[in-house]
Amino acid sequence: SNSFVTDSAKKALIALGEKSESPILESFSAISDGRIKRELIEVLKSVGSMKSESFLEKVATGPDASLRHNAQQALDAVRARG
């Protein structure tokens, strides 16, 4: 099923660690599927560095209500790691 694909992809991106951060930041705005966007924010929550901070701030305060909460959680996690 499709959720299995995104789940596997998410695990693979998390396994890549910080290497997955830049591609996510670069491709995010081109993705229209909100569920995939939420999954990518989850990846950043696990692997994101301070490089993701301003991006996550924008999403956390942005127009898309379905992403704000996830982005704020990811932002808190990134800041906690410093």
Side-chain angles (χ1 to χ4, degrees), residues 10-29:
K10 184 168 77 173
K11 287 193 175 90
L13 288 169
I14 289 171
L16 268 177
E18 273 190 27
K19 286 203 233 28
S20 65
E21 184 177 26
S22 290
I24 289 172
L25 296 177
E26 286 158 22
S27 63
F28 194 85
S29 62

Side-chain angles (χ1 to χ4, degrees), residues 50-80:
M50 292 305 282
K51 254 198 312 201
S52 296
E53 185 182 30
S54 63
F55 163 78
L56 288 169
E57 261 174 3
K58 263 189 264 177
V59 180
T61 57
D64 192 336
S66 70
L67 300 178
R68 285 199 292 254
H69 179 67
N70 297 62
Q72 186 59 55
Q73 286 188 320
L75 186 57
D76 293 343
V78 163
R79 286 180 171 152

